[in-house]
Amino acid sequence: MNLALLFDEDFIGPDRVRLTGRRRAHLATVLKAAEGDRIPVGRVNGELGEGLVTAQDEDAVELAVTLTQPPPDPLPLTLVLAMPRPKMFRRVLQTVASLGVKDIWLINAYKVEKSFWQTPWLSEASLRENLVLGLEQARDTRMPRVQIRKLFKPFAEDELPALMTERPGLVAHPGTETPCPVHLNAPATLCIGPEGGFIPYEVDKLVAAGGRSVHLGRRILRVETAVPVLVGRLYDAARY
Ligand code: SAH
């Protein structure tokens, strides 16, 4: 937690917050924050700043906060991700949030196991919890939006074309001819397949919706590795 992300319900005054639970425990045990210390804070979808520890006990820590800095610019990337297996999903969600992706679509694909959709990590509360961990890791405040589409065909036919107009649509698919672009630094929509990859029918549909298949070299990467590699190629860190 490189930042304590603050929510409306944490505020007990215009510039005073009271933190309990995970954030309090982290401040006390990992950061070993004491009264008078200043810690980095940010208000969800708002500014970054500092929190001065004014009081703490075993249940709560109180901070006087000043919020002055804008958060980093969001990545202009729409990420369309075939639903990963639950254990990986949680990590990928945190990674994607920490990279600055704000628009995430979780889709079905032939090689997504049906049971993956049953995971409790897809509940509103769990999605938010993991996105918060990613934002706190990265010192960002802008909450990503996650949309779930459990039917591939209607998504690919009815919704995806609009996400790929006036911006490149990229389909990460090993073994294709075109390497993934570098230094794009502009809006894009990127589709990433499941562990077993997209099947040819799905690649055809994604291409028909306006996408172009791109590769990252001959090595096949896990989704959790492919995501940061793709984002790192498309967007220069100094700008985002
Ligand atoms: N067995 C699958 C690989 C799946 S890897 C196959 O052979 O197609 C999971 C996903 O990560 C892929 O669908 C793709 O979106 C992305 N990915 C992994 N390695 C990649 C590479 N070298 N080039 C492009 N995309 C890759």
Side-chain angles (χ1 to χ4, degrees):
M1 183 170 90
N2 294 313
L3 167 110
L5 195 61
L6 309 175
F7 294 83
D8 289 349
E9 54 272 28
D10 298 323
F11 280 79
I12 52 172
D15 56 2
R16 302 191 75 80
V17 296
R18 187 166 187 275
L19 304 182
T20 55
R22 176 184 61 84
R23 289 165 302 166
R24 186 216 69 88
H26 188 92
L27 289 180
T29 58
V30 182
L31 300 182
K32 303 199 189 304
E35 269 174 50
D37 286 355
R38 289 170 198 278
I39 56 145
V41 295
R43 188 162 190 164
V44 70
N45 295 320
E47 294 189 303
L48 302 171
E50 272 187 347
L52 173 68
V53 180
T54 53
Q56 62 176 337
D57 60 27
E58 278 172 20
D59 296 325
V61 51
E62 286 189 18
L63 306 171
V65 300
T66 40
L67 298 166
T68 52
Q69 299 287 316
D73 286 341
L75 287 189
L77 177 69
T78 293
L79 186 66
V80 176
L81 189 66
M83 181 64 193
R85 70 174 57 249
K87 214 174 83 185
M88 191 190 282
F89 172 56
R90 189 170 165 255
R91 284 200 303 265
V92 168
L93 203 58
Q94 292 181 21
T95 301
V96 162
S98 66
L99 288 169
V101 178
K102 303 300 174 188
D103 189 22
I104 303 161
W105 297 68
L106 295 170
I107 66 162
N108 197 30
Y110 184 72
K111 291 188 181 168
V112 169
E113 285 176 35
K114 284 209 168 55
S115 63
F116 293 179
W117 292 109
Q118 307 306 319
T119 176
W121 295 118
L122 277 170
S123 71
E124 274 297 319
S126 292
L127 287 174
R128 183 166 142 134
E129 182 188 316
N130 285 294
L131 294 170
V132 166
L133 289 173
L135 292 177
E136 288 186 335
Q137 168 63 40
R139 289 199 176 146
D140 192 356
T141 68
R142 294 181 224 251
M143 187 61 75
R145 185 177 66 154
V146 177
Q147 308 203 61
I148 296 171
R149 294 294 182 269
K150 295 187 188 172
L151 294 175
F152 177 84
K153 191 165 173 255
F155 168 74
E157 288 182 354
D158 305 335
E159 294 190 283
L160 189 58
L163 300 175
M164 290 180 168
T165 48
E166 292 171 22
R167 43 154 81 195
L170 305 170
V171 180
H173 193 53
T176 46
E177 260 173 42
T178 317
C180 177
V182 289
H183 308 299
L184 179 72
N185 297 321
T189 294
L190 174 65
C191 305
I192 301 190
E195 219 173 299
F198 286 124
I199 60 173
Y201 163 83
E202 290 164 343
V203 175
D204 290 349
K205 282 284 186 198
L206 299 172
V207 169
R212 182 164 46 115
S213 292
V214 295
H215 74 81
L216 290 171
R218 286 171 57 196
R219 292 183 176 84
I220 305 227
L221 306 173
R222 282 176 194 249
V223 172
E224 64 194 291
T225 311
V227 169
V229 170
L230 285 156
V231 167
R233 284 179 73 100
L234 295 173
Y235 299 103
D236 295 346
R239 295 222 217 162
Y240 298 96

PDB file of all heavy atoms in Angstrom, residues 111 171-176 191-198 214-223 226 230, ligand 1:
ATOM      1  N   LYS A 111     -12.539 -21.377 -24.522  1.00  0.00           N
ATOM      2  CA  LYS A 111     -11.632 -22.035 -23.580  1.00  0.00           C
ATOM      3  C   LYS A 111     -11.659 -21.428 -22.175  1.00  0.00           C
ATOM      4  O   LYS A 111     -10.758 -21.690 -21.369  1.00  0.00           O
ATOM      5  CB  LYS A 111     -10.227 -22.071 -24.159  1.00  0.00           C
ATOM      6  CG  LYS A 111     -10.171 -23.029 -25.345  1.00  0.00           C
ATOM      7  CD  LYS A 111      -8.797 -23.269 -25.869  1.00  0.00           C
ATOM      8  CE  LYS A 111      -8.858 -24.226 -27.058  1.00  0.00           C
ATOM      9  NZ  LYS A 111      -7.574 -24.273 -27.775  1.00  0.00           N
ATOM     10  N   VAL A 171      -5.805  -7.652 -31.278  1.00  0.00           N
ATOM     11  CA  VAL A 171      -6.125  -8.962 -30.726  1.00  0.00           C
ATOM     12  C   VAL A 171      -4.799  -9.675 -30.486  1.00  0.00           C
ATOM     13  O   VAL A 171      -4.102 -10.033 -31.450  1.00  0.00           O
ATOM     14  CB  VAL A 171      -7.002  -9.780 -31.705  1.00  0.00           C
ATOM     15  CG1 VAL A 171      -7.329 -11.146 -31.120  1.00  0.00           C
ATOM     16  CG2 VAL A 171      -8.278  -9.013 -32.055  1.00  0.00           C
ATOM     17  N   ALA A 172      -4.425  -9.823 -29.222  1.00  0.00           N
ATOM     18  CA  ALA A 172      -3.148 -10.484 -28.919  1.00  0.00           C
ATOM     19  C   ALA A 172      -3.316 -11.966 -29.185  1.00  0.00           C
ATOM     20  O   ALA A 172      -4.126 -12.636 -28.544  1.00  0.00           O
ATOM     21  CB  ALA A 172      -2.755 -10.230 -27.464  1.00  0.00           C
ATOM     22  N   HIS A 173      -2.549 -12.451 -30.140  1.00  0.00           N
ATOM     23  CA  HIS A 173      -2.705 -13.841 -30.560  1.00  0.00           C
ATOM     24  C   HIS A 173      -1.353 -14.349 -31.039  1.00  0.00           C
ATOM     25  O   HIS A 173      -0.828 -13.871 -32.045  1.00  0.00           O
ATOM     26  CB  HIS A 173      -3.753 -13.896 -31.687  1.00  0.00           C
ATOM     27  CG  HIS A 173      -4.212 -15.289 -31.984  1.00  0.00           C
ATOM     28  ND1 HIS A 173      -4.698 -16.131 -31.013  1.00  0.00           N
ATOM     29  CD2 HIS A 173      -4.260 -15.985 -33.145  1.00  0.00           C
ATOM     30  CE1 HIS A 173      -5.028 -17.293 -31.564  1.00  0.00           C
ATOM     31  NE2 HIS A 173      -4.771 -17.234 -32.848  1.00  0.00           N
ATOM     32  N   PRO A 174      -0.787 -15.323 -30.305  1.00  0.00           N
ATOM     33  CA  PRO A 174       0.535 -15.812 -30.705  1.00  0.00           C
ATOM     34  C   PRO A 174       0.503 -16.403 -32.110  1.00  0.00           C
ATOM     35  O   PRO A 174      -0.516 -16.943 -32.533  1.00  0.00           O
ATOM     36  CB  PRO A 174       0.838 -16.921 -29.679  1.00  0.00           C
ATOM     37  CG  PRO A 174      -0.206 -16.836 -28.626  1.00  0.00           C
ATOM     38  CD  PRO A 174      -1.350 -16.058 -29.170  1.00  0.00           C
ATOM     39  N   GLY A 175       1.615 -16.276 -32.805  1.00  0.00           N
ATOM     40  CA  GLY A 175       1.728 -16.942 -34.102  1.00  0.00           C
ATOM     41  C   GLY A 175       1.179 -16.134 -35.262  1.00  0.00           C
ATOM     42  O   GLY A 175       1.185 -16.609 -36.392  1.00  0.00           O
ATOM     43  N   THR A 176       0.702 -14.929 -35.032  1.00  0.00           N
ATOM     44  CA  THR A 176       0.243 -14.108 -36.159  1.00  0.00           C
ATOM     45  C   THR A 176       1.432 -13.378 -36.768  1.00  0.00           C
ATOM     46  O   THR A 176       2.538 -13.419 -36.227  1.00  0.00           O
ATOM     47  CB  THR A 176      -0.808 -13.073 -35.706  1.00  0.00           C
ATOM     48  OG1 THR A 176      -0.342 -12.465 -34.526  1.00  0.00           O
ATOM     49  CG2 THR A 176      -2.131 -13.712 -35.446  1.00  0.00           C
ATOM     50  N   CYS A 191      -7.615  -6.995 -27.035  1.00  0.00           N
ATOM     51  CA  CYS A 191      -8.277  -8.236 -26.616  1.00  0.00           C
ATOM     52  C   CYS A 191      -7.213  -9.266 -26.243  1.00  0.00           C
ATOM     53  O   CYS A 191      -6.301  -9.519 -27.026  1.00  0.00           O
ATOM     54  CB  CYS A 191      -9.116  -8.805 -27.752  1.00  0.00           C
ATOM     55  SG  CYS A 191     -10.316  -7.647 -28.415  1.00  0.00           S
ATOM     56  N   ILE A 192      -7.376  -9.859 -25.084  1.00  0.00           N
ATOM     57  CA  ILE A 192      -6.442 -10.888 -24.620  1.00  0.00           C
ATOM     58  C   ILE A 192      -7.210 -12.169 -24.347  1.00  0.00           C
ATOM     59  O   ILE A 192      -8.270 -12.146 -23.712  1.00  0.00           O
ATOM     60  CB  ILE A 192      -5.696 -10.406 -23.361  1.00  0.00           C
ATOM     61  CG1 ILE A 192      -4.940  -9.121 -23.708  1.00  0.00           C
ATOM     62  CG2 ILE A 192      -4.749 -11.486 -22.841  1.00  0.00           C
ATOM     63  CD1 ILE A 192      -3.995  -8.638 -22.684  1.00  0.00           C
ATOM     64  N   GLY A 193      -6.663 -13.273 -24.827  1.00  0.00           N
ATOM     65  CA  GLY A 193      -7.375 -14.543 -24.776  1.00  0.00           C
ATOM     66  C   GLY A 193      -7.226 -15.281 -23.458  1.00  0.00           C
ATOM     67  O   GLY A 193      -6.499 -14.857 -22.567  1.00  0.00           O
ATOM     68  N   PRO A 194      -7.913 -16.409 -23.345  1.00  0.00           N
ATOM     69  CA  PRO A 194      -7.803 -17.241 -22.145  1.00  0.00           C
ATOM     70  C   PRO A 194      -6.518 -18.073 -22.176  1.00  0.00           C
ATOM     71  O   PRO A 194      -5.791 -18.055 -23.177  1.00  0.00           O
ATOM     72  CB  PRO A 194      -9.039 -18.140 -22.239  1.00  0.00           C
ATOM     73  CG  PRO A 194      -9.310 -18.261 -23.703  1.00  0.00           C
ATOM     74  CD  PRO A 194      -8.829 -16.988 -24.345  1.00  0.00           C
ATOM     75  N   GLU A 195      -6.289 -18.780 -21.122  1.00  0.00           N
ATOM     76  CA  GLU A 195      -5.096 -19.626 -20.995  1.00  0.00           C
ATOM     77  C   GLU A 195      -4.881 -20.523 -22.217  1.00  0.00           C
ATOM     78  O   GLU A 195      -3.758 -20.700 -22.679  1.00  0.00           O
ATOM     79  CB  GLU A 195      -5.298 -20.515 -19.770  1.00  0.00           C
ATOM     80  CG  GLU A 195      -4.089 -20.744 -18.942  1.00  0.00           C
ATOM     81  CD  GLU A 195      -4.462 -21.494 -17.673  1.00  0.00           C
ATOM     82  OE1 GLU A 195      -5.260 -20.981 -16.868  1.00  0.00           O
ATOM     83  OE2 GLU A 195      -3.977 -22.608 -17.529  1.00  0.00           O
ATOM     84  N   GLY A 196      -5.975 -21.065 -22.757  1.00  0.00           N
ATOM     85  CA  GLY A 196      -5.867 -21.941 -23.922  1.00  0.00           C
ATOM     86  C   GLY A 196      -5.882 -21.173 -25.234  1.00  0.00           C
ATOM     87  O   GLY A 196      -5.835 -21.774 -26.315  1.00  0.00           O
ATOM     88  N   GLY A 197      -5.957 -19.859 -25.189  1.00  0.00           N
ATOM     89  CA  GLY A 197      -5.980 -19.020 -26.393  1.00  0.00           C
ATOM     90  C   GLY A 197      -7.377 -18.870 -26.969  1.00  0.00           C
ATOM     91  O   GLY A 197      -8.307 -19.584 -26.576  1.00  0.00           O
ATOM     92  N   PHE A 198      -7.533 -17.910 -27.885  1.00  0.00           N
ATOM     93  CA  PHE A 198      -8.783 -17.769 -28.641  1.00  0.00           C
ATOM     94  C   PHE A 198      -8.816 -18.869 -29.699  1.00  0.00           C
ATOM     95  O   PHE A 198      -7.776 -19.186 -30.302  1.00  0.00           O
ATOM     96  CB  PHE A 198      -8.842 -16.421 -29.356  1.00  0.00           C
ATOM     97  CG  PHE A 198      -9.104 -15.236 -28.460  1.00  0.00           C
ATOM     98  CD1 PHE A 198      -8.222 -14.142 -28.429  1.00  0.00           C
ATOM     99  CD2 PHE A 198     -10.255 -15.169 -27.672  1.00  0.00           C
ATOM    100  CE1 PHE A 198      -8.472 -13.033 -27.627  1.00  0.00           C
ATOM    101  CE2 PHE A 198     -10.511 -14.065 -26.862  1.00  0.00           C
ATOM    102  CZ  PHE A 198      -9.622 -13.001 -26.842  1.00  0.00           C
ATOM    103  N   VAL A 214      -2.189  -9.386 -33.397  1.00  0.00           N
ATOM    104  CA  VAL A 214      -0.787  -8.984 -33.210  1.00  0.00           C
ATOM    105  C   VAL A 214      -0.109  -9.975 -32.275  1.00  0.00           C
ATOM    106  O   VAL A 214      -0.757 -10.612 -31.454  1.00  0.00           O
ATOM    107  CB  VAL A 214      -0.664  -7.556 -32.636  1.00  0.00           C
ATOM    108  CG1 VAL A 214      -1.195  -6.528 -33.626  1.00  0.00           C
ATOM    109  CG2 VAL A 214      -1.364  -7.424 -31.287  1.00  0.00           C
ATOM    110  N   HIS A 215       1.210 -10.070 -32.395  1.00  0.00           N
ATOM    111  CA  HIS A 215       1.946 -10.994 -31.525  1.00  0.00           C
ATOM    112  C   HIS A 215       3.013 -10.256 -30.741  1.00  0.00           C
ATOM    113  O   HIS A 215       3.352  -9.106 -31.013  1.00  0.00           O
ATOM    114  CB  HIS A 215       2.536 -12.137 -32.345  1.00  0.00           C
ATOM    115  CG  HIS A 215       3.718 -11.736 -33.170  1.00  0.00           C
ATOM    116  ND1 HIS A 215       4.978 -11.630 -32.652  1.00  0.00           N
ATOM    117  CD2 HIS A 215       3.833 -11.391 -34.493  1.00  0.00           C
ATOM    118  CE1 HIS A 215       5.814 -11.253 -33.602  1.00  0.00           C
ATOM    119  NE2 HIS A 215       5.131 -11.100 -34.723  1.00  0.00           N
ATOM    120  N   LEU A 216       3.529 -10.980 -29.770  1.00  0.00           N
ATOM    121  CA  LEU A 216       4.555 -10.431 -28.871  1.00  0.00           C
ATOM    122  C   LEU A 216       5.852 -11.194 -28.974  1.00  0.00           C
ATOM    123  O   LEU A 216       6.628 -11.231 -28.027  1.00  0.00           O
ATOM    124  CB  LEU A 216       4.076 -10.580 -27.417  1.00  0.00           C
ATOM    125  CG  LEU A 216       2.922  -9.707 -26.986  1.00  0.00           C
ATOM    126  CD1 LEU A 216       2.447 -10.142 -25.611  1.00  0.00           C
ATOM    127  CD2 LEU A 216       3.373  -8.260 -26.946  1.00  0.00           C
ATOM    128  N   GLY A 217       6.043 -11.862 -30.088  1.00  0.00           N
ATOM    129  CA  GLY A 217       7.231 -12.707 -30.218  1.00  0.00           C
ATOM    130  C   GLY A 217       6.828 -14.165 -30.114  1.00  0.00           C
ATOM    131  O   GLY A 217       5.667 -14.493 -29.897  1.00  0.00           O
ATOM    132  N   ARG A 218       7.795 -15.050 -30.290  1.00  0.00           N
ATOM    133  CA  ARG A 218       7.478 -16.477 -30.370  1.00  0.00           C
ATOM    134  C   ARG A 218       7.140 -17.100 -29.039  1.00  0.00           C
ATOM    135  O   ARG A 218       6.551 -18.164 -28.975  1.00  0.00           O
ATOM    136  CB  ARG A 218       8.667 -17.217 -30.995  1.00  0.00           C
ATOM    137  CG  ARG A 218       8.765 -16.978 -32.494  1.00  0.00           C
ATOM    138  CD  ARG A 218      10.059 -17.525 -33.049  1.00  0.00           C
ATOM    139  NE  ARG A 218      10.203 -18.943 -32.774  1.00  0.00           N
ATOM    140  CZ  ARG A 218      11.370 -19.597 -32.874  1.00  0.00           C
ATOM    141  NH1 ARG A 218      12.453 -18.947 -33.228  1.00  0.00           N
ATOM    142  NH2 ARG A 218      11.432 -20.873 -32.610  1.00  0.00           N
ATOM    143  N   ARG A 219       7.559 -16.464 -27.970  1.00  0.00           N
ATOM    144  CA  ARG A 219       7.284 -17.057 -26.665  1.00  0.00           C
ATOM    145  C   ARG A 219       5.831 -16.841 -26.281  1.00  0.00           C
ATOM    146  O   ARG A 219       5.321 -15.732 -26.397  1.00  0.00           O
ATOM    147  CB  ARG A 219       8.183 -16.428 -25.610  1.00  0.00           C
ATOM    148  CG  ARG A 219       9.623 -16.784 -25.802  1.00  0.00           C
ATOM    149  CD  ARG A 219      10.490 -16.199 -24.707  1.00  0.00           C
ATOM    150  NE  ARG A 219      11.862 -16.638 -24.888  1.00  0.00           N
ATOM    151  CZ  ARG A 219      12.716 -16.043 -25.707  1.00  0.00           C
ATOM    152  NH1 ARG A 219      12.351 -14.978 -26.399  1.00  0.00           N
ATOM    153  NH2 ARG A 219      13.940 -16.511 -25.836  1.00  0.00           N
ATOM    154  N   ILE A 220       5.236 -17.907 -25.781  1.00  0.00           N
ATOM    155  CA  ILE A 220       3.855 -17.795 -25.317  1.00  0.00           C
ATOM    156  C   ILE A 220       3.885 -17.419 -23.846  1.00  0.00           C
ATOM    157  O   ILE A 220       4.526 -18.109 -23.049  1.00  0.00           O
ATOM    158  CB  ILE A 220       3.101 -19.121 -25.528  1.00  0.00           C
ATOM    159  CG1 ILE A 220       3.238 -19.501 -26.996  1.00  0.00           C
ATOM    160  CG2 ILE A 220       1.670 -18.988 -25.042  1.00  0.00           C
ATOM    161  CD1 ILE A 220       2.039 -19.923 -27.702  1.00  0.00           C
ATOM    162  N   LEU A 221       3.234 -16.333 -23.538  1.00  0.00           N
ATOM    163  CA  LEU A 221       3.273 -15.816 -22.167  1.00  0.00           C
ATOM    164  C   LEU A 221       1.967 -16.107 -21.455  1.00  0.00           C
ATOM    165  O   LEU A 221       0.915 -16.215 -22.084  1.00  0.00           O
ATOM    166  CB  LEU A 221       3.506 -14.295 -22.210  1.00  0.00           C
ATOM    167  CG  LEU A 221       4.736 -13.861 -23.019  1.00  0.00           C
ATOM    168  CD1 LEU A 221       4.763 -12.334 -23.137  1.00  0.00           C
ATOM    169  CD2 LEU A 221       6.012 -14.376 -22.373  1.00  0.00           C
ATOM    170  N   ARG A 222       2.047 -16.201 -20.149  1.00  0.00           N
ATOM    171  CA  ARG A 222       0.808 -16.293 -19.380  1.00  0.00           C
ATOM    172  C   ARG A 222       0.082 -14.970 -19.479  1.00  0.00           C
ATOM    173  O   ARG A 222       0.716 -13.917 -19.662  1.00  0.00           O
ATOM    174  CB  ARG A 222       1.133 -16.486 -17.900  1.00  0.00           C
ATOM    175  CG  ARG A 222       1.537 -17.871 -17.528  1.00  0.00           C
ATOM    176  CD  ARG A 222       1.912 -17.827 -16.046  1.00  0.00           C
ATOM    177  NE  ARG A 222       2.615 -19.036 -15.706  1.00  0.00           N
ATOM    178  CZ  ARG A 222       2.103 -19.970 -14.914  1.00  0.00           C
ATOM    179  NH1 ARG A 222       0.941 -19.802 -14.357  1.00  0.00           N
ATOM    180  NH2 ARG A 222       2.779 -21.060 -14.664  1.00  0.00           N
ATOM    181  N   VAL A 223      -1.222 -14.998 -19.262  1.00  0.00           N
ATOM    182  CA  VAL A 223      -2.003 -13.762 -19.343  1.00  0.00           C
ATOM    183  C   VAL A 223      -1.439 -12.706 -18.398  1.00  0.00           C
ATOM    184  O   VAL A 223      -1.295 -11.537 -18.761  1.00  0.00           O
ATOM    185  CB  VAL A 223      -3.486 -14.062 -19.019  1.00  0.00           C
ATOM    186  CG1 VAL A 223      -4.287 -12.783 -18.901  1.00  0.00           C
ATOM    187  CG2 VAL A 223      -4.075 -14.971 -20.089  1.00  0.00           C
ATOM    188  N   ALA A 226       1.536 -11.401 -20.163  1.00  0.00           N
ATOM    189  CA  ALA A 226       1.236 -10.750 -21.443  1.00  0.00           C
ATOM    190  C   ALA A 226       0.653  -9.338 -21.214  1.00  0.00           C
ATOM    191  O   ALA A 226       0.991  -8.403 -21.952  1.00  0.00           O
ATOM    192  CB  ALA A 226       0.258 -11.607 -22.254  1.00  0.00           C
ATOM    193  N   LEU A 230       2.231  -6.090 -22.988  1.00  0.00           N
ATOM    194  CA  LEU A 230       1.456  -5.374 -24.011  1.00  0.00           C
ATOM    195  C   LEU A 230       1.309  -3.902 -23.635  1.00  0.00           C
ATOM    196  O   LEU A 230       1.534  -2.998 -24.459  1.00  0.00           O
ATOM    197  CB  LEU A 230       0.070  -6.021 -24.161  1.00  0.00           C
ATOM    198  CG  LEU A 230       0.074  -7.363 -24.908  1.00  0.00           C
ATOM    199  CD1 LEU A 230      -1.125  -8.211 -24.541  1.00  0.00           C
ATOM    200  CD2 LEU A 230       0.101  -7.123 -26.419  1.00  0.00           C
TER     201      LEU A 230
HETATM  202  N1  SAH B   1      -2.200 -21.757 -25.953  1.00  0.00           N
HETATM  203  C1  SAH B   1      -2.524 -20.479 -26.463  1.00  0.00           C
HETATM  204  C2  SAH B   1      -1.783 -19.397 -25.734  1.00  0.00           C
HETATM  205  C3  SAH B   1      -2.602 -18.678 -24.775  1.00  0.00           C
HETATM  206  S1  SAH B   1      -1.706 -17.524 -23.859  1.00  0.00           S
HETATM  207  C4  SAH B   1      -2.172 -20.381 -27.946  1.00  0.00           C
HETATM  208  O1  SAH B   1      -1.277 -21.086 -28.382  1.00  0.00           O
HETATM  209  O2  SAH B   1      -2.769 -19.566 -28.630  1.00  0.00           O
HETATM  210  C5  SAH B   1      -3.020 -16.513 -23.300  1.00  0.00           C
HETATM  211  C6  SAH B   1      -3.218 -15.230 -24.037  1.00  0.00           C
HETATM  212  O3  SAH B   1      -2.120 -14.347 -23.791  1.00  0.00           O
HETATM  213  C7  SAH B   1      -3.303 -15.358 -25.540  1.00  0.00           C
HETATM  214  O4  SAH B   1      -4.594 -15.685 -25.986  1.00  0.00           O
HETATM  215  C8  SAH B   1      -2.858 -13.974 -25.994  1.00  0.00           C
HETATM  216  O5  SAH B   1      -3.944 -13.061 -25.928  1.00  0.00           O
HETATM  217  C9  SAH B   1      -1.811 -13.597 -24.973  1.00  0.00           C
HETATM  218  N2  SAH B   1      -0.462 -13.972 -25.394  1.00  0.00           N
HETATM  219  C10 SAH B   1       0.414 -14.763 -24.740  1.00  0.00           C
HETATM  220  N3  SAH B   1       1.583 -14.870 -25.406  1.00  0.00           N
HETATM  221  C11 SAH B   1       1.446 -14.122 -26.533  1.00  0.00           C
HETATM  222  C12 SAH B   1       2.295 -13.813 -27.644  1.00  0.00           C
HETATM  223  N4  SAH B   1       3.535 -14.291 -27.735  1.00  0.00           N
HETATM  224  N5  SAH B   1       1.803 -13.019 -28.606  1.00  0.00           N
HETATM  225  C13 SAH B   1       0.556 -12.521 -28.536  1.00  0.00           C
HETATM  226  N6  SAH B   1      -0.291 -12.770 -27.524  1.00  0.00           N
HETATM  227  C14 SAH B   1       0.139 -13.558 -26.525  1.00  0.00           C
END
